[in-house]
Amino acid sequence: MSAAGRAARRERWEACFSPWALALAGAAVSAAYLFQRSLMVKALMFLCFLGAALLSGKKVSLVATIVVSAGIVAANLLVPVGRVIAVLGPMRITETALLDGVGKALVFEGLMYVSKASVLPGLRLPGRFGALVASAFVYYDRIVEYKGRIRPATLIEDADRLMLELWEAPRAEGGPETSRPMGRSAKAALIAAVALSLGLLFV
Amino acid sequence: MPTSTPRPTEAAARDLSAEPRTPADITALLGAFCFFLSAVEYMIPKPLPFMRLGIANLPILLAVDLLPLPWYLALALVKVVGMSVISGSLFSYVALFSLAGTLTAAIAMWAARKVIRGSVSAVGVSMLGAVASNAVQIAIASAVVFGEAARLIAPPFLATGLVTGALLGAFAETFAAKSRWYARARGAL
């Protein structure tokens, strides 16, 4: 998948949704996913989250997902619980431990993907704390745009110079979140995603 | 990691340079430094996914002697929330690990520095913070992801914390001693 294609998807995704509406929907779907008991439904929801993360243009690494999931499953298999279904060398693969491991891996990685899809960079938190985070992001932009060099050999001096430059620049205050009107289909998609996730709890 | 940054941009920043620096301002500046170091850490290759140098905690370590407790804790929260928004992990277990680890480390470092006043160096404070953070993360990993097997990763994880904590503490001590910015920030509060 090309970087240009991912950037275009990201732009389209961010243009479709208001950061707050998407974040609230993401939080609701995450909560429903966390309480989902059926492994099959969890697996289906995981695939939907993966699809949403891909559509959102966020960086998705299937290799990392597989490695982390395998680690979680393997860790759970170390403590045998339930019926032995296979023996791999010195390791006994037990049914309950395997299902537990798969369930935990699905939740761990699924929450990561739904979070990637639902947290937009323009999300502005409310209140004084939100203003503080927004100010930090303004300073962060300045650090990223900093023209000076930071070299390993003179790390302390260079980092100090950077901090002094930020210190002497105008104080940073984050602006309000740019409100984005959402289309009907985007609203409907969010409502459907939340309703479906909650409805699946009763399957 | 941070391919784009949140919308409150330079254009939205108001010129307030004439006003005195406040704890809020220093908290925001150090929070931004946390985000930046987190991005740097992301680019450093790691032998194992859970092994981190923890360099994003450097501003929190520097803030122990700089900020009043409420702002110090606010900095820890800004770090967790901001990094979770940048990486898009706000609703995931990763954010939970980060919140628990960062807050525990922050409280442990504050207590070591303020309660046992003058007896613990920055290296000791940093090592204590790293070990406390890793211990809490192992406990959470045991509860939500790895189960009983978490105890198997505990020894290397805690040992890594000791080493990286010592290195980070040594760096913080040298930076605090040499930095003109740090001296000015301390003088401003």
Side-chain angles (χ1 to χ4, degrees), chain A residues 115 121 139-141 160 167-168, chain B residues 2 5-6 21 25 88 179 184:
Chain A
S115 187
Y139 278 124
Y140 177 62
D141 278 344
D160 189 40
W167 182 256
E168 283 159 5
Chain B
T5 53
R21 298 291 171 166
D25 202 32
S179 166
R184 284 172 68 174

Side-chain angles (χ1 to χ4, degrees), chain A residues 63-154:
Chain A
V63 174
T65 297
I66 291 166
V67 170
V68 171
S69 301
I72 294 172
V73 173
N76 279 272
L77 286 175
L78 288 176
V79 182
V81 187
R83 186 167 59 95
V84 177
I85 52 174
V87 178
L88 285 177
M91 197 173 188
R92 286 178 301 151
I93 310 289
T94 50
E95 189 178 18
T96 308
L98 178 65
L99 294 177
D100 267 2
V102 171
K104 284 173 181 171
L106 283 172
V107 170
F108 190 92
E109 287 297 313
L111 286 178
M112 197 66 214
Y113 283 132
V114 76
S115 187
K116 273 179 187 281
S118 62
V119 179
L120 296 185
L123 182 65
R124 168 76 147 82
L125 300 170
R128 283 178 68 192
F129 181 71
L132 191 62
V133 175
S135 295
F137 276 124
V138 175
Y139 278 124
Y140 177 62
D141 278 344
R142 291 180 187 174
I143 293 174
V144 171
E145 286 162 16
Y146 177 62
K147 297 284 189 295
R149 289 182 66 190
I150 297 183
R151 292 151 295 193
T154 50

Side-chain angles (χ1 to χ4, degrees), chain A residues 39-59:
Chain A
L39 195 61
M40 188 61 77
V41 175
K42 256 186 206 166
L44 287 173
M45 288 176 82
F46 171 83
L47 290 176
C48 293
F49 299 158
L50 176 60
L54 285 169
L55 279 175
S56 75
K58 292 278 176 72
K59 197 173 181 181

Side-chain angles (χ1 to χ4, degrees), chain B residues 49-76:
Chain B
F50 60 84
M51 278 191 176
R52 288 188 301 141
L53 295 173
I55 57 173
N57 286 324
L58 177 65
I60 296 181
L61 185 55
L62 291 171
V64 172
D65 292 330
L66 206 56
L67 291 171
L69 183 60
W71 288 105
Y72 174 75
L73 293 176
L75 171 63

Side-chain angles (χ1 to χ4, degrees), chain A residues 8-9 13 19 34 37 42 55 98 101 115-116 156 169 191 193 195:
Chain A
R9 285 200 308 278
W13 185 265
L34 210 50
R37 280 187 292 184
K42 256 186 206 166
L55 279 175
L98 178 65
S115 187
K116 273 179 187 281
I156 289 180
I191 292 169

